């Protein structure tokens, strides 16, 4: 089925470990986004990508790395996980510039860092 | 950092009640305003993308209006049903702004009692 899928759905890891969250979309949307959702905050943008090999920082990029070698994939890596990165992470895509195009969200990855 | 405010934070209504909530956003550099519906344990789902002052959009029993000059949008639900229970998010797109993408409010959580 077409759509946007995130994996894993749940992840528990320890501080200092590297962890990668995967995001895959089948629509060939140009734009992809990573958000984190924490209690007391709205969805906050971590990184986004306008096309393959083009990425840019969002509001809260520190401690995260992204890449986009193929249009359909947009992995998010925590290079050395910290407890403050415990959160629910959402990947999203939009057909082109998000101004007048809705974003389509994955089901989220719940990440716990011990 | 641009701020998007939603009110109220939460709302409890009886089945059949009509309800509305507010999204306030900066009135300068307006480009688009998005509304999303977010059910518990699911991912946010786009309701409306609004770009023009005075815009009105409707989807079933849900409608939205937009005032870009004063910086607010209203979401209305007519005859609320238990299945309308969800968090409703609005998000502002700042044309040419440094953050470059959607700024989300914290949402209004609607609970509809049968």
């Amino acid at each position: 089925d077409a759509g946007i899928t995130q994996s894993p759905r749940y992840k528990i890891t320890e501080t200092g470990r590297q962890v990668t969250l995967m995001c895959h979309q089948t629509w060939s949307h140009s734009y992809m986004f990573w958000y984190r959702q924490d209690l007391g905050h709205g969805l906050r943008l971590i990184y986004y990508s306008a096309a393959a090999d083009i990425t840019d920082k969002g509001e809260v990029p520190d401690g995260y790395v992204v890449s986009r070698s193929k249009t359909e994939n947009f992995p998010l890596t925590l290079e050395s996980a910290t407890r403050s990165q415990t959160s629910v992470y959402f990947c999203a895509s939009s057909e082109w510039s998000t101004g007048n195009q809705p974003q389509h969200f994955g089901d989220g990855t719940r990440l716990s860092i011990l | 950092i641009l701020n998007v405010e939603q009110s109220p934070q939460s709302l409890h209504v009886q089945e059949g009640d009509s309800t509305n909530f507010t999204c306030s956003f900066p009135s300068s550099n307006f480009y688009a305003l998005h509304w999303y519906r977010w059910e518990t344990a699911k991912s946010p789902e786009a309701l409306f993308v609004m770009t023009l002052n005075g815009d009105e959009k409707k989807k079933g029993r849900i409608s939205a209006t937009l005032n870009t000059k004063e910086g607010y949008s209203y979401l209305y639900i007519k005859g609320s049903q238990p299945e309308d229970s969800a968090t409703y998010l609005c998000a502002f797109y700042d044309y040419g702004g440094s953050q470059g993408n959607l700024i989300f409010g914290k949402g209004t959580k609607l609970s509809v009692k049968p």
Side-chain angles (χ1 to χ4, degrees):
Chain A
D1 286 346
I4 183 164
T5 53
Q6 292 184 234
S7 60
R9 290 295 311 277
Y10 304 92
K11 177 78 178 176
I12 300 174
T13 191
E14 295 176 340
T15 56
R17 297 270 181 128
Q18 182 180 84
V19 59
T20 296
L21 310 184
M22 305 302 291
C23 179
H24 175 79
Q25 53 108 353
T26 59
W27 290 302
S28 298
H29 284 173
S30 295
Y31 278 72
M32 296 187 76
F33 310 86
W34 275 106
Y35 294 93
R36 60 178 289 173
Q37 193 252 329
D38 304 292
L39 208 60
H41 292 276
L43 288 166
R44 291 184 292 172
L45 183 66
I46 304 170
Y47 270 95
Y48 68 101
S49 168
D53 298 320
I54 301 174
T55 62
D56 208 348
K57 295 178 182 179
E59 182 187 350
V60 289
D62 293 343
Y64 302 95
V65 174
V66 292
S67 61
R68 194 162 175 212
S69 56
K70 292 184 179 180
T71 300
E72 60 266 31
N73 296 324
F74 190 38
L76 176 75
T77 298
L78 289 67
E79 292 192 301
S80 179
T82 65
R83 288 203 179 105
S84 64
Q85 292 175 309
T86 291
S87 187
V88 182
Y89 291 85
F90 286 94
C91 178
S93 71
S94 66
E95 193 169 356
W96 51 76
S97 173
T98 200
N100 58 3
Q101 292 293 311
Q103 291 191 6
H104 303 272
F105 287 82
D107 289 335
T109 294
R110 186 173 293 273
L111 178 63
S112 296
I113 299 164
L114 306 177
Chain B
I1 293 180
L2 298 172
N3 211 24
V4 175
E5 300 284 346
Q6 290 189 247
S7 62
Q9 274 190 304
S10 63
L11 199 51
H12 297 264
V13 302
Q14 290 292 133
E15 182 175 355
D17 288 351
S18 293
T19 186
N20 66 86
F21 17 97
T22 306
C23 173
S24 301
F25 52 85
S27 54
S28 58
N29 289 329
F30 176 86
Y31 190 85
L33 194 282
H34 294 215
W35 281 100
Y36 292 83
R37 169 193 159 89
W38 192 358
E39 290 181 70
T40 304
K42 294 189 178 180
S43 54
E45 180 185 335
L47 285 171
F48 307 114
V49 177
M50 307 176 81
T51 56
L52 297 174
N53 184 43
D55 234 356
E56 289 189 30
K57 300 260 185 180
K58 191 174 180 183
K59 191 174 189 176
R61 292 178 293 99
I62 304 177
S63 60
T65 61
L66 179 68
N67 184 323
T68 61
K69 295 188 187 310
E70 295 181 44
Y72 65 84
S73 175
Y74 294 138
L75 191 79
Y76 300 91
I77 302 179
K78 186 177 177 182
S80 302
Q81 299 297 308
E83 57 265 31
D84 295 328
S85 296
T87 297
Y88 291 84
L89 300 176
C90 70
F92 169 76
Y93 186 75
D94 174 34
Y95 185 78
S98 59
Q99 295 183 77
N101 261 287
L102 285 180
I103 309 300
F104 281 85
K106 295 178 185 178
T108 293
K109 185 172 183 177
L110 175 66
S111 299
V112 182
K113 289 186 181 177

